[in-house]
Each structure stands twice: as structure tokens, then as C-alpha cells.
């Protein structure tokens, strides 16, 4: 079976729309429809029911999802294996969200280079949602993420290391300061809930930034207070440029490894060992 048919099927199943699937695959809606018809002819079953709101899977389509996913994963792995550089026996593909490429992903790459030289490496930096999707589809063997949402299906979420979010300030007296000088960082839904409970008076901060490193750069230039990863602000605390806010609660923000339970066990174990050995 043409792998493009399986990929098209999975895109429609995930998006619930022929139009959205066409956009993701960068093909016309007519091409998507033709691929679905060809696949249904080969399987002898109708896979989707189309309506005004989009498309939903038939019982046969629901049963085919697992098989289509396996087909795509096996094909992607086969392409990678066939194209292995000389002297390599396998390839490890891993992704990390932006805040984790340095040092977590960088240290892992160095560890793998020295301890697993027979493994070819492919690394990506992307958004958490795209990385989780890549693991789910088999495009990545593993992703390293902060606080991933509960995974379904065949995804495994394994704690790598505990991280703390602490409130720091540029004020030498360690005071948080007025709300208009407070910088709120988007550390995810669970942090937002805990933060709101602890600081109901900061419902409308003066600055809201979605990226921790950008927020830290802003804070050190203009002043104020906010929550940051302890490992990221430790050098600033030691140099006296930042100060812990007294009595401010700490929040957990742990790093996790996300991988598929269907992935090759031997390779995943070597990748896990690399992260555990290279991460403090």
C-alpha cells in the first residue's frame, strides 16, 4: 500500500477534516479525497463519514488507525535505517522544546557522541505540541518536555529530573514590588492555576511573556520580579544581580521524557541512559 495513503488517512483522523488534512499535507482537497477513495477500495471498507462539521471515523476507520500508524512508523524507520552513515548501526531521533535545548539536549548529544558512537543522531527543537505529535506519529523516537499533559494511547511519560520555579526580583531588599513591575511567564496551565491561588492580587500583570529566556532577559534589563527556573537564574543569584523573594512559594516544573511504547526497546534504553547520565 502507498504510504501516502496511510499518512493522509491519519491526518484526516487527527484533524477531523479533509480540508485541514489537505492544508497540512500541502495538497489539494481533491487529492485528499482521491487518496481516501483509493484506500477504501483497497480495504473494501468505508473509513470516514463526511458531514457539515468535517469527517468522523467509521468503526472500520477506528480499527485501521493503529495499523496505519504502524505502517508509517515502520516506513520512516526503514528509510532512516537504509540511509545510515557508514559505521552506524541505528539512528536516534530526539526533540526538545526551546527552553531545554541548552543544556539538556546539548549535553545528551555530547554524551551520545562519546558513549554511543555507533548511533547516528538527529535532533530537533520545536514547540511541545509539535514534538508530542512527532513522537505519536513515529517521526521522533523521543521528546524532552516540561510538564507534558497526560498522554493517551501508546505514549510513555517518564520523569527525567525535578525542576523548581522560584520567584526572583531585581530589588536588593528581596521585595516583589508593585503588580505593574511583575513579569508573568506562561509556564503552563498547572502553574497558572497554582499561581492564581497563591497570588490572587496579580490577576492582571504588567507584562506577560510566553518564553522564559526572553522574560529573563527583559527582567534583567528593566527590573521587576517573576517566576523562573532555578537552574536558569542560579548564576544571577550568585552574582547578586537577582534575589530570591522571601516567603514566595516554589512550584514544581519537572522535565520528562516522552516516547512511544512501540519504539525499539534497545534504542530507547540507550537514549534514556544518556539523558539520565548527562542530566544533573
Amino acid at each position: 500500500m502507498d504510504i501516502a495513503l496511510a499518512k493522509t488517512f491519519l491526518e484526516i483522523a487527527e484533524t477531523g477534516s479533509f480540508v485541514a488534512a489537505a492544508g497540512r499535507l500541502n495538497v489539494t482537497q481533491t487529492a485528499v479525497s482521491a487518496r481516501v477513495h483509493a484506500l477504501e477500495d483497497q480495504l473494501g471498507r468505508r473509513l470516514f463519514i463526511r458531514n457539515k462539521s468535517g469527517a468522523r471515523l467509521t468503526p472500520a476507520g477506528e480499527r485501521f488507525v493503529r495499523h496505519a500508524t504502524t505502517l508509517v512508523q515502520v516506513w520512516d524507520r526503514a528509510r532512516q535505517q537504509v540511509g545510515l552513515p557508514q559505521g552506524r548501526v541505528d539512528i536516534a531521533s530526539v526533540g526538545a522544546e526551546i527552553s531545554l535545548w541548552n543544556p539538556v539536549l546539548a549535553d545528551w548529544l555530547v554524551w551520545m557522541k562519546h558513549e554511543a558512537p555507533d548511533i547516528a543522531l538527529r535532533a530537533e527543537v520545536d514547540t511541545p505540541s509539535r514534538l508530542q505529535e512527532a513522537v505519536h506519529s513515529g517521526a521522533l523516537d523521543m521528546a524532552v518536555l516540561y510538564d507534558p499533559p497526560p498522554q493517551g494511547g501508546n505514549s510513555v511519560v517518564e520523569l527525567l529530573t525535578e525542576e523548581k520555579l522560584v520567584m526572583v526580583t531585581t530589588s536588593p531588599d528581596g521585595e516583589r514590588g508593585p503588580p505593574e513591575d511583575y513579569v508573568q511567564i506562561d509556564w503552563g496551565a498547572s502553574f497558572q492555576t497554582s499561581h492564581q491561588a497563591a497570588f490572587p492580587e496579580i490577576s492582571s500583570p504588567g507584562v506577560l511573556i510566553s518564553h522564559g529566556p526572553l522574560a529573563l532577559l527583559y527582567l534583567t534589563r528593566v527590573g521587576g520580579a517573576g517566576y523562573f527556573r532555578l537552574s536558569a537564574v542560579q548564576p544571577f543569584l550568585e552574582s547578586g544581580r537577582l534575589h530570591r523573594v522571601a516567603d514566595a512559594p516554589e512550584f514544581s516544573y519537572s522535565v520528562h521524557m516522552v516516547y512511544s511504547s512501540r519504539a525499539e526497546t534497545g534504542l530507547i534504553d540507550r537514549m534514556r541512559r544518556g539523558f539520565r547520565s548527562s542530566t544533573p
Side-chain angles (χ1 to χ4, degrees):
M1 186 186 71
D2 188 344
I3 295 298
L5 303 185
K7 290 183 175 180
T8 302
F9 166 81
L10 291 173
E11 289 290 352
I12 301 170
E14 182 175 342
T15 62
S17 167
F18 278 55
V19 176
R24 283 193 177 190
L25 295 167
N26 197 30
V27 298
T28 66
Q29 186 178 346
T30 301
V32 168
S33 297
R35 290 178 184 180
V36 171
H37 288 317
L39 184 56
E40 290 176 332
D41 287 343
Q42 291 184 26
L43 295 173
R45 291 290 187 274
R46 189 176 182 184
L47 301 175
F48 293 102
I49 297 175
R50 301 180 68 170
N51 50 46
K52 292 182 179 179
S53 61
R56 61 182 177 87
L57 290 166
T58 64
E62 292 176 354
R63 292 192 296 270
F64 185 61
V65 169
R66 178 171 60 89
H67 299 291
T69 301
T70 300
L71 283 168
V72 172
Q73 290 177 343
V74 170
W75 171 249
D76 287 341
R77 176 60 63 184
R79 286 195 308 159
Q80 293 170 1
Q81 290 284 357
V82 170
L84 279 176
Q86 187 174 2
R88 302 298 201 274
V89 298
D90 210 338
I91 182 170
S93 57
V94 65
E97 58 180 276
I98 296 173
S99 298
L100 283 169
W101 77 266
N102 185 23
V104 176
L105 182 56
D107 288 348
W108 178 83
L109 288 169
V110 173
W111 188 94
M112 290 291 288
K113 172 66 175 178
H114 294 306
E115 303 297 330
D118 57 330
I119 302 295
L121 305 175
R122 181 168 68 86
E124 296 182 10
V125 176
D126 210 329
T127 62
S129 60
R130 289 177 61 87
L131 291 172
Q132 291 179 76
E133 181 180 326
V135 171
H136 176 71
S137 68
L140 287 178
D141 294 307
M142 181 182 291
V144 185
L145 306 169
Y146 277 121
D147 198 25
Q151 302 292 303
N154 300 296
S155 293
V156 178
V157 178
E158 182 179 341
L159 177 67
L160 175 58
T161 183
E162 292 280 359
E163 181 79 277
K164 291 181 179 178
L165 294 174
V166 298
M167 186 185 288
V168 297
T169 177
T170 54
S171 177
D173 60 10
E175 295 295 326
R176 188 183 74 200
E180 57 266 26
D181 291 337
Y182 186 76
V183 179
Q184 187 162 329
I185 299 92
D186 182 8
W187 295 114
S190 60
F191 168 79
Q192 186 63 33
T193 300
S194 300
H195 185 276
Q196 182 62 34
F199 304 100
E201 71 278 12
I202 314 181
S203 57
S204 300
V207 180
L208 176 62
I209 299 177
S210 64
H211 186 46
L214 174 59
L216 182 57
L217 177 62
Y218 173 85
L219 188 76
T220 55
R221 289 189 177 183
V222 305
Y227 269 94
F228 295 89
R229 293 181 294 117
L230 179 57
S231 60
V233 297
Q234 191 64 49
F236 296 89
L237 294 172
E238 293 173 354
S239 67
R241 294 184 64 189
L242 294 176
H243 310 272
R244 291 282 295 268
V245 174
D247 301 324
E250 298 177 349
F251 298 108
S252 176
Y253 199 60
S254 303
V255 182
H256 295 79
M257 296 177 286
V258 180
Y259 54 91
S260 173
S261 60
R262 294 177 176 172
E264 183 186 341
T265 303
L267 179 63
I268 290 295
D269 285 346
R270 296 184 76 175
M271 296 173 71
R272 291 171 60 247
R273 187 164 65 252
F275 275 116
R276 295 205 173 280
S277 299
S278 62
T279 303

